[in-house]
C-alpha cells in the first residue's frame, strides 16, 4: 500500500514536470517557427520590391504568392495560377499613400496566409502572401511527437519508480512485518531486520533500542516477582504457622507461650507490611514523574536527621564540607536519605552516634554497625541482599536497592565502604546540574555506577 501511494505521488510529480516541460517546449518551438515565417515573409517582400523596381518578376515559390496593387485598387497577380489575395483596407492605404506597410492574416480557399504589403517606388504596392499550411504540419507533427515522448517517459518513470521504491521500501516492509509479529505474539526475543546507514537504518536502530529496553524491563519485572515471592514466603510461613498453632490450641496455651506467638505474629506482620510497601515503591518508582528542582543537600540532611532523632532518640550529627546545590527530584532524594538513615539506625548498636556528611554534591551516612566486607560493597545495593553478618537483623533488603534506583535514574552514583574505626559508610554523589530535564527512566542494574566514598 505504501509503495503504491509513494509511486503514485512520484508519477504525479513526474507527470506535472513533464507536462510543464512539454508545454514550454511546444511554445518555444511555435514562437521559433512564427519568427522564421515572419523573417521569410519580410525577405520575400524585400526581394519582390527590388525585382519589380527593375521590371523583373519574382521567381515562383510553392508556399508564396505575390500581387501588385494599384492606387485605385486594381490587383495584378504575379504568380501564374496562384490564388488571388483579398485586398485589406490597410493594403489599399499603403498603395495610395506609398508609405508604411500592412500585415494581415487571411484565409483563401481554406488555407491561411500571412500577408505583408509594402509600397513600390513607382506607385502602388506589392502584397506578398505566405501559406501557413507547411508550418501547421510541422506544428502538429511536433505536438504529436512531444505528446508521445512525454507519455513514454511517464510510463518509464512509473516503472522505474515502482522498482526503485520497492527496493528502497523493502527495509520498511521488513520492519513493519517484524514489529507486527512482535505485537501479535508478544515475543520480545524476535530479532529486527539488519539496520543500514540511512534514515530507515536509524529508525530500525531506534526500534532496537526501544525493544532492548522492553526486554530489560520484562526481565527486571520477572526477577522482581521471583525475588518477591521468595522473600514473602518466609514471613507468610511464620504468620501462618503461628496462626494455625493458636487455632489448634484454642486457649490451652500457657500465657507466656501465647504472648510469644502473638508477638511473632505482630512482628512478622509488620515486616510483611514494610516489605510490601518497599516492593510497591521499587516496582512503581512513584517519583519518576516528579519534576527536578534545585535541592539544598544540607537542609535536606538536617530535616531528615531531625525526624529520625525524634523518632528513634538516636544521636545523629550532620557535618558539611563545601556543600553545593544539586538539581534532582526533591521527594525522591528525601526518600534516599531516609533509607540511608533508617539503614544506619538499624545496624548501629544502641547509644552509638550516626553521622551524615555532606561534601560537594555528595552525601554519606556513617554508622557504627558490623561494617561491610570488601566483597559485599556492590552487592548491598542488590534487591533482597542480606550480608552474612546482618542475617539476624530485621529488614527487607530493599532500602539500599531503592536508593540505587533513584540516584542512578538521576545520573548519579552510589557507594558503600567500611569506615575507619568500624562501621560502614553508605551514600551517593549527584552529577553537576543533573538532571536538567525530567528523568526518562530508571537504571536498575545491580552494579551500575558504583564509586568510592566522598570522605
Amino acid at each position: 500500500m505504501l509503495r503504491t501511494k509513494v509511486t503514485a505521488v512520484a508519477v504525479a510529480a513526474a507527470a506535472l514536470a513533464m507536462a510543464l516541460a512539454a508545454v514550454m517546449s511546444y511554445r518555444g518551438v511555435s514562437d521559433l517557427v512564427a519568427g522564421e515565417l515572419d523573417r521569410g515573409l519580410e525577405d520575400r517582400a524585400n526581394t519582390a520590391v527590388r525585382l519589380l523596381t527593375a521590371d523583373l518578376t519574382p521567381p515562383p515559390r510553392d508556399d508564396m504568392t505575390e500581387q501588385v496593387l494599384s492606387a485605385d485598387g486594381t490587383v495584378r497577380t504575379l504568380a501564374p495560377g496562384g490564388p488571388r489575395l483579398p485586398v485589406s483596407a490597410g493594403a489599399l492605404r499603403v498603395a495610395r499613400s506609398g508609405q508604411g506597410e500592412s500585415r494581415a492574416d487571411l484565409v483563401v480557399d481554406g488555407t491561411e496566409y500571412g500577408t505583408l504589403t509594402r509600397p513600390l517606388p513607382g506607385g502602388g504596392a506589392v502584397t506578398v502572401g505566405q501559406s501557413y499550411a507547411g508550418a501547421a504540419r510541422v506544428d502538429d507533427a511536433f505536438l504529436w511527437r512531444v505528446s508521445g515522448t512525454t507519455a513514454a517517459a511517464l510510463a518509464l518513470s512509473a516503472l522505474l519508480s515502482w522498482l526503485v521504491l520497492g527496493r528502497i521500501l523493502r527495509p520498511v516492509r521488513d520492519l513493519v512485518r517484524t514489529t507486527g509479529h512482535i505485537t501479535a505474539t508478544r515475543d520480545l526475543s524476535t530479532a529486527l531486520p539488519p539496520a543500514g546507514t540511512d534514515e530507515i537504518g536509524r529508525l530500525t536502530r531506534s526500534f532496537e533500542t526501544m525493544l532492548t529496553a522492553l526486554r530489560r524491563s520484562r526481565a527486571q519485572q520477572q526477577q522482581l516477582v521471583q525475588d518477591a515471592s521468595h522473600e514473602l514466603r518466609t514471613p507468610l510461613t511464620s504468620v501462618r504457622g503461628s496462626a494455625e498453632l493458636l487455632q489448634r490450641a484454642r486457649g490451652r496455651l500457657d500465657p507466656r507461650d501465647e504472648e510469644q506467638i502473638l508477638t511473632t505474629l505482630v512482628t512478622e506482620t509488620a515486616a510483611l507490611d514494610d516489605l510490601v510497601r518497599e516492593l510497591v515503591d521499587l516496582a512503581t518508582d512513584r517519583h519518576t514523574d516528579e519534576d527536578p528542582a534545585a535541592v539544598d543537600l544540607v537542609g535536606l540532611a538536617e530535616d531528615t536527621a531531625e525526624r529520625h532523632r525524634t523518632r528513634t532518640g538516636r544521636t545523629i550529627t550532620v557535618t558539611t564540607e563545601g556543600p553545593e546545590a544539586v538539581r534532582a527530584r526533591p521527594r525522591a532524594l528525601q526518600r534516599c536519605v531516609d533509607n540511608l538513615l533508617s539503614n544506619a539506625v538499624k545496624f548501629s548498636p544502641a547509644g552509638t552516634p550516626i553521622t551524615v556528611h555532606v561534601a560537594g554534591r555528595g552525601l554519606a551516612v556513617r554508622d557504627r554497625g558490623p561494617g561491610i566486607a570488601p566483597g559485599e560493597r556492590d552487592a548491598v545495593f542488590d534487591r533482597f541482599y542480606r550480608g552474612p553478618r546482618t542475617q539476624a537483623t530485621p529488614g527487607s533488603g530493599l532500602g539500599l536497592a531503592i536508593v540505587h534506583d533513584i540516584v542512578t535514574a538521576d545520573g548519579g552514583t552510589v557507594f558503600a565502604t567500611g569506615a575507619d574505626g568500624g562501621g560502614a559508610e553508605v551514600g551517593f554523589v549527584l552529577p553537576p546540574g543533573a538532571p536538567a530535564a525530567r528523568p526518562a527512566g530508571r537504571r536498575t542494574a545491580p552494579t551500575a555506577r558504583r564509586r568510592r566514598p566522598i570522605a
Side-chain angles (χ1 to χ4, degrees):
M1 180 64 71
L2 178 61
R3 181 183 183 182
T4 302
K5 290 181 178 179
V6 175
T7 301
V9 172
V11 171
L16 181 60
M18 291 180 183
L20 181 61
V23 170
M24 297 300 294
S25 299
Y26 178 74
R27 291 189 60 180
V29 171
S30 296
D31 292 342
L32 180 62
V33 171
E36 290 296 326
L37 289 174
D38 288 341
R39 283 191 291 272
L41 190 60
E42 290 178 356
D43 291 343
R44 184 68 174 178
N46 293 333
T47 302
V49 169
R50 288 195 298 269
L51 291 175
L52 290 173
T53 303
D55 293 330
L56 298 174
T57 301
R61 281 183 53 176
D62 293 339
D63 59 338
M64 294 284 189
T65 184
E66 299 88 10
Q67 62 187 24
V68 176
L69 178 63
S70 62
D72 59 2
T74 303
V75 175
R76 178 169 61 91
T77 302
L78 298 180
R84 180 184 177 90
L85 301 175
V87 179
S88 64
L92 187 58
R93 185 172 58 253
V94 172
R96 290 175 178 174
S97 64
Q99 295 179 352
E101 65 179 23
S102 174
R103 294 177 182 269
D105 290 333
L106 306 173
V107 178
V108 180
D109 298 330
T111 301
E112 187 176 5
Y113 286 84
T115 64
L116 175 60
T117 303
R118 284 188 174 174
L120 293 172
V126 61
T127 299
V128 178
Q130 183 173 22
S131 172
Y132 287 163
R137 286 193 299 271
V138 173
D139 190 74
D140 292 341
F142 178 77
L143 180 60
W144 279 106
R145 288 188 179 183
V146 167
S147 300
T149 303
T150 301
L154 188 59
L156 181 60
S157 174
L159 178 61
L160 291 177
S161 297
W162 179 265
L163 296 176
V164 172
L165 286 173
R167 184 177 182 85
I168 293 175
L169 295 178
R170 185 179 300 120
V172 177
R173 292 197 302 271
D174 293 341
L175 182 60
V176 170
R177 183 168 55 253
T178 304
T179 53
H181 173 75
I182 294 173
T183 302
T185 62
R186 307 297 176 90
D187 182 11
L188 299 182
S189 63
T190 303
L192 293 179
T197 58
D198 54 4
E199 289 78 2
I200 299 175
R202 289 198 291 271
L203 177 63
T204 302
R205 285 190 290 274
S206 297
F207 271 101
E208 182 63 38
T209 301
M210 179 181 65
L211 193 59
T212 300
L214 288 174
R215 293 185 187 119
R216 184 183 303 113
S217 176
R218 174 178 288 185
Q220 290 169 352
Q221 290 174 2
Q222 292 174 346
Q223 185 63 42
L224 178 62
V225 171
Q226 294 173 2
D227 292 343
S229 63
H230 174 75
E231 294 297 324
L232 287 170
R233 189 174 293 114
T234 299
L236 282 175
T237 300
S238 178
V239 169
R240 181 177 179 177
S242 299
E244 289 177 349
L245 179 59
L246 286 176
Q247 185 183 37
R248 288 195 303 269
R250 294 188 180 277
R252 296 192 300 272
L253 288 174
D254 183 89
R256 290 175 298 180
D257 295 335
E258 185 174 346
E259 180 66 24
Q260 182 179 359
I261 293 173
L262 291 174
T263 301
T264 300
L265 282 173
V266 172
T267 302
E268 295 296 340
T269 303
L272 275 174
D273 181 68
D274 291 340
L275 180 58
V276 170
R277 175 173 50 80
E278 291 186 339
L279 279 173
V280 171
D281 286 344
L282 190 63
T284 59
D285 190 3
R286 294 178 299 176
H287 304 295
T288 297
D289 295 331
E290 183 183 2
D291 290 328
V295 179
D296 178 11
L297 275 180
V298 176
L300 179 62
E302 291 282 6
D303 293 342
T304 308
E306 181 59 32
R307 283 190 286 104
H308 280 265
R309 291 189 197 105
T310 303
R311 184 188 309 163
T312 65
R314 302 294 293 267
T315 300
I316 302 175
T317 305
V318 178
T319 62
T320 63
E321 181 183 345
E324 301 177 18
V326 297
R327 186 171 178 82
R329 296 172 290 169
R331 293 195 305 275
L333 196 60
Q334 182 178 356
R335 177 65 190 276
C336 289
V337 181
D338 267 329
N339 284 8
L340 292 175
L341 277 174
S342 297
N343 194 69
V345 169
K346 180 168 57 177
F347 291 110
S348 291
T352 59
I354 296 172
T355 302
V356 181
H357 183 61
V358 180
R361 299 182 305 276
L363 181 146
V365 176
R366 178 184 176 182
D367 60 45
R368 298 298 191 278
I372 301 175
E376 301 176 7
R377 291 173 184 175
D378 284 338
V380 294
F381 293 100
D382 294 347
R383 296 170 180 175
F384 305 110
Y385 179 80
R386 305 290 299 279
R389 288 178 287 183
T390 60
Q391 293 288 342
T393 305
S396 64
L398 291 176
L400 295 185
I402 293 174
V403 172
H404 169 269
D405 286 357
I406 291 176
V407 171
T408 54
D410 284 348
T413 58
V414 293
F415 61 86
T417 185
D420 295 337
E425 185 177 89
V426 186
F428 58 83
V429 178
L430 293 172
R438 177 175 296 181
R442 297 179 299 154
R443 304 173 200 168
T444 56
T447 60
R449 299 184 68 87
R450 310 285 166 76
R451 56 158 290 165
R452 62 180 178 82
I454 61 175

